[in-house]
Amino acid sequence: MALQGTISPQLGNLSFLLVLDLQGNGFHGELPRELLHLKRLKWLDLSYNDFVGDIPLRIGDLSKLQYLDLGYNNIVGVIPQSISNFSMLEYLNWKSNFIEGTIPHVIGKLERLRILDVRNNKLSGIIPSTIFNMSSLQEIRLSNNSLSGIGDLPQLITLNLQYNLLTGNILMLNNSSLQILDLGFNNLSGILPSNVCQGLPNLRLLYLYVNDFSGKMPNVWRYCKELVDLELSFNNFDKGPMPADIGNLTNLQSLYLTSTNLEGEIPVSLFNISSLIEINLDGNHLNGTLPGEMCLQLPQLEKFTLFGNRLEGTIPRSIGNCTLLQILTLQDNFFSGLIPMEIGNLNQLQFLQLGNNSLSGYVPSNVFNISRLENLHLELNSLSGMLPSNMGLGLPNLQQLHMYGNRFVGNIPNSISNASNLVIIDLSSNEFSGVIPNSFGNLRDLESLVIGGNNLTIDESLEFNFLTSLTIGVFVVHELN
């Protein structure tokens, strides 16, 4: 059973303690000053509680500490200068509090510190240069603060400074130990160093998204042989093709190049990286077609999204070989032809977004039996045919159905109400006919119903009474015969 309440002042009598672990016990109140009497303490973990108030100014009196974790509390105030006494400290974690002010320069005196984690606080000012001179440091995690300044990289394994106020450019990189470099959501600018891979040969994760990098996207990725995750989205690179040698990253699992001014065709070599799990190339100027064999070498792919490009041609039937796909977004392109039947065999799909293309023909009936599907976007195409009479039965998790701006005919099936989690339905601007199903009233979560621009009628004997059952916010367009 977890302990609760405040820590007893009698704690100070336990001066013989070497380890004190009170993680996640529901303690509250201020950190007791009696803790400072535990001079022999080597391990102190008070994380995941509800402590408030300042860090004791004399916390450095616990000079034998090797491990100190105050993470996930409600601690405020500044980092005390007395931390300079932590000459034996190896692990310092104060993440997810409300600590403010600057990081004191004396932190450089912690000569044995291996892990520094003060992310998710309210720290500000320039990161002291002394941090980047600490040869013992392996991990620096300062994300989600308001810090600025970045120095040369020591022999770090992890550097996480995302969500800060970093500016300027990244200088030449040279660190054979670094595996994780996360500088996303800052104001960094300039050209990426040409040695981004040769200078960081063991890099596994590179996050530089949401900055202001410019110039040509480097064509040096073949040297990042260990890279697993590459995220360069939302930068201002020069217009140009995707570097072909990204296809040489044989360990790559995630590729995010959203809104990076890419143009031209997608290198065929990308579709030969069998380790890929996520591909996101949204918001670029990519054109050409998808290779017919695109999914033959992508057995692990779970997310494939090309929203807002200029791709054309047909959707390859080999898409059915990407059996683990959960998100497929080809929306806002120029794809034409039929929706391949093989898409209906992707039984892990949660998001299928094919809207605003030039697709035609019937929707394969098995699409309406993908039981995990939550969002179905087929709007603004030239799709035709009738909806299957049992269409709601196979879609128990569907929340959004967008089929407006097509050429669908026939009745709206009463069975649509079996998709009981529907929140949004938009079937407007088609050629549906017949009576509006009163079964819409069974959809208790429905907030938006748009069915105008069809040839529908109302059964006046029912007086459209299903509307009184619907959730507040229903929007029905009345363009009925």
Side-chain angles (χ1 to χ4, degrees), residues 64-80:
K64 295 188 182 299
L65 276 178
Q66 299 174 12
Y67 183 102
L68 176 57
D69 192 342
L70 304 178
Y72 294 101
N73 282 285
N74 292 301
I75 296 169
V76 298
V78 300
I79 299 175

Side-chain angles (χ1 to χ4, degrees), residues 123-142:
L123 295 166
S124 59
I126 298 174
I127 301 171
S129 58
T130 52
I131 283 184
F132 297 104
N133 295 325
M134 297 169 66
S135 60
S136 60
L137 267 178
Q138 297 178 0
E139 296 185 16
I140 298 178
R141 299 182 184 272
L142 307 179

Side-chain angles (χ1 to χ4, degrees), residues 458-473:
I458 301 172
D459 187 340
E460 294 183 1
S461 65
L462 296 175
E463 297 181 352
F464 226 19
N465 59 12
F466 72 82
L467 285 178
T468 61
S469 305
L470 300 181
T471 305
I472 294 174

Side-chain angles (χ1 to χ4, degrees), residues 3 8 117 162 174 264 276 285 350 357 389 404 474:
L3 301 171
S8 170
D117 191 344
Q162 70 167 339
N174 186 16
L276 273 170
H285 312 283
Q350 298 173 26
N357 281 286
S389 59
Y404 61 88
V474 173

Side-chain angles (χ1 to χ4, degrees), residues 148-216:
S148 59
I150 180 173
D152 294 333
L153 305 181
Q155 293 303 303
L156 287 173
I157 295 175
T158 298
L159 178 61
N160 183 348
L161 300 177
Q162 70 167 339
Y163 288 99
N164 276 289
L165 301 175
L166 303 179
T167 59
N169 55 8
I170 301 176
L171 301 178
M172 298 296 282
L173 304 171
N174 186 16
N175 182 336
S176 60
S177 301
L178 196 67
Q179 297 180 19
I180 299 174
L181 178 59
D182 188 350
L183 303 177
F185 277 96
N186 280 285
N187 296 309
L188 295 167
S189 58
I191 299 172
L192 288 186
S194 59
N195 74 331
V196 64
C197 286
Q198 290 169 301
L200 305 172
N202 289 302
L203 197 63
R204 299 182 67 249
L205 277 64
L206 178 60
Y207 300 148
L208 300 178
Y209 49 85
V210 193
N211 278 285
D212 196 23
F213 290 113
S214 57
K216 186 178 179 180

Side-chain angles (χ1 to χ4, degrees), residues 105-395:
H105 281 74
V106 294
I107 199 168
K109 295 185 178 181
L110 279 58
E111 296 180 350
R112 296 189 181 184
L113 194 63
R114 294 185 298 106
I115 296 175
L116 172 63
D117 191 344
V118 290
R119 57 188 147 160
N120 304 331
N121 279 285
K122 294 186 174 183
L123 295 166
S124 59
I126 298 174
I127 301 171
S129 58
T130 52
I131 283 184
F132 297 104
N133 295 325
M134 297 169 66
S135 60
S136 60
L137 267 178
Q138 297 178 0
E139 296 185 16
I140 298 178
R141 299 182 184 272
L142 307 179
S143 59
N144 293 340
N145 284 285
S146 297
L147 297 164
S148 59
I150 180 173
D152 294 333
L153 305 181
Q155 293 303 303
L156 287 173
I157 295 175
T158 298
L159 178 61
N160 183 348
L161 300 177
Q162 70 167 339
Y163 288 99
N164 276 289
L165 301 175
L166 303 179
T167 59
N169 55 8
I170 301 176
L171 301 178
M172 298 296 282
L173 304 171
N174 186 16
N175 182 336
S176 60
S177 301
L178 196 67
Q179 297 180 19
I180 299 174
L181 178 59
D182 188 350
L183 303 177
F185 277 96
N186 280 285
N187 296 309
L188 295 167
S189 58
I191 299 172
L192 288 186
S194 59
N195 74 331
V196 64
C197 286
Q198 290 169 301
L200 305 172
N202 289 302
L203 197 63
R204 299 182 67 249
L205 277 64
L206 178 60
Y207 300 148
L208 300 178
Y209 49 85
V210 193
N211 278 285
D212 196 23
F213 290 113
S214 57
K216 186 178 179 180
M217 189 180 293
N219 199 13
V220 295
W221 304 106
R222 60 190 177 278
Y223 299 112
C224 280
K225 296 180 180 179
E226 305 301 322
L227 204 60
V228 172
D229 197 337
L230 176 61
E231 303 197 13
L232 305 178
S233 298
F234 300 104
N235 279 286
N236 291 314
F237 296 113
D238 292 346
K239 282 188 178 181
M242 184 189 307
D245 68 346
I246 286 180
N248 294 323
L249 299 175
T250 56
N251 294 310
L252 196 64
Q253 296 180 10
S254 295
L255 177 64
Y256 280 75
L257 300 178
T258 306
S259 297
T260 50
N261 280 324
L262 295 175
E263 60 183 7
E265 298 189 2
I266 301 173
V268 175
S269 58
L270 181 67
F271 300 103
N272 293 325
I273 304 176
S274 60
S275 55
L276 273 170
I277 297 174
E278 299 176 302
I279 300 174
N280 188 329
L281 305 176
D282 290 348
N284 285 291
H285 312 283
L286 296 167
N287 55 31
T289 62
L290 295 177
E293 312 82 23
M294 63 165 280
C295 272
L296 298 183
Q297 302 296 324
L298 298 174
Q300 307 299 320
L301 195 63
E302 297 178 4
K303 179 178 181 180
F304 184 54
T305 170
L306 298 172
F307 176 88
N309 280 283
R310 300 171 182 173
L311 293 155
E312 56 187 7
T314 58
I315 300 172
R317 295 183 62 182
S318 69
I319 195 76
N321 292 83
C322 288
T323 56
L324 298 182
L325 266 177
Q326 298 175 20
I327 298 174
L328 176 60
T329 300
L330 305 179
Q331 196 149 324
D332 287 1
N333 281 282
F334 299 101
F335 289 110
S336 58
L338 304 176
I339 298 175
M341 287 186 58
E342 288 77 5
I343 283 183
N345 298 327
L346 301 175
N347 56 21
Q348 303 297 312
L349 266 185
Q350 298 173 26
F351 291 82
L352 176 58
Q353 298 174 309
L354 306 179
N356 199 17
N357 281 286
S358 298
L359 299 170
S360 58
Y362 295 174
V363 179
S365 59
N366 54 359
V367 167
F368 298 105
N369 290 318
I370 304 176
S371 62
R372 297 194 179 189
L373 204 59
E374 297 178 11
N375 282 45
L376 177 58
H377 284 257
L378 301 175
E379 71 274 10
L380 298 173
N381 282 287
S382 297
L383 298 167
S384 58
M386 301 176 63
L387 299 181
S389 59
N390 63 344
M391 72 165 286
L393 295 173
L395 298 169

Side-chain angles (χ1 to χ4, degrees), residues 34-75:
E34 288 78 13
L35 280 172
L36 303 181
H37 298 157
L38 307 179
K39 306 291 187 182
R40 301 178 63 189
L41 208 58
K42 295 184 177 181
W43 182 293
L44 177 59
D45 190 344
L46 303 179
S47 61
Y48 293 94
N49 284 289
D50 194 21
F51 289 114
V52 298
D54 297 350
I55 300 170
L57 291 177
R58 294 178 53 193
I59 194 168
D61 289 355
L62 302 176
S63 59
K64 295 188 182 299
L65 276 178
Q66 299 174 12
Y67 183 102
L68 176 57
D69 192 342
L70 304 178
Y72 294 101
N73 282 285
N74 292 301
I75 296 169

Side-chain angles (χ1 to χ4, degrees), residues 432-459:
F432 289 114
S433 58
V435 178
I436 298 173
N438 209 48
S439 63
F440 281 136
N442 298 326
L443 297 172
R444 300 302 178 184
D445 296 324
L446 192 63
E447 296 178 2
S448 177
L449 174 61
V450 187
I451 52 177
N454 285 288
N455 299 308
L456 297 166
T457 59
I458 301 172
D459 187 340

